Amino acid sequence: MGTPALDLSAATWRKSSHSGSTQNDCIEVADGFPGVLPVRDSKDPSGPALVFPAASFAAFLAGVKRGELA
């Protein structure tokens, strides 16, 4: 049985504070969804969003910060 779709129609999206000055090649995340982190491409805001378990996304970011994914 699949996971029910998450309604992101009222989501408030934000870009990373580490985005470049042009902010054209960014991802955006939406806070306020317990246990998950919706992510989308800032160039295609009406396109699909990926929804990650919050703990998994945090582990991914920690690996990036440690240079494990270079």
Side-chain angles (χ1 to χ4, degrees), residues 6 30-38 51-55:
L6 188 60
D31 297 317
F33 294 90
V36 297
L37 185 69
V51 179
F52 296 96

Side-chain angles (χ1 to χ4, degrees), residues 15 19-27 41-44:
K15 292 180 184 164
S19 296
S21 60
T22 62
Q23 296 191 6
N24 290 330
D25 298 320
C26 307
I27 63 166
D41 183 348
S42 65
K43 294 183 302 296
D44 188 12

Side-chain angles (χ1 to χ4, degrees), residues 10-11 14 17-18 20 23 25 27 31 37 40 43 56-57 64 67-68:
R14 65 177 174 86
S17 61
H18 297 284
Q23 296 191 6
D25 298 320
I27 63 166
D31 297 317
L37 185 69
R40 72 179 183 184
K43 294 183 302 296
S56 297
F57 199 78
V64 170
E68 296 174 355

Side-chain angles (χ1 to χ4, degrees), residues 6-14 28-33 38-40 49:
L6 188 60
D7 181 8
L8 299 174
S9 61
T12 300
W13 296 91
R14 65 177 174 86
E28 296 177 321
V29 298
D31 297 317
F33 294 90
V39 178
R40 72 179 183 184

Side-chain angles (χ1 to χ4, degrees), residues 46-70:
S46 62
L50 300 174
V51 179
F52 296 96
S56 297
F57 199 78
F60 166 73
L61 290 180
V64 170
K65 289 177 184 179
R66 289 189 301 266
E68 296 174 355
L69 305 172

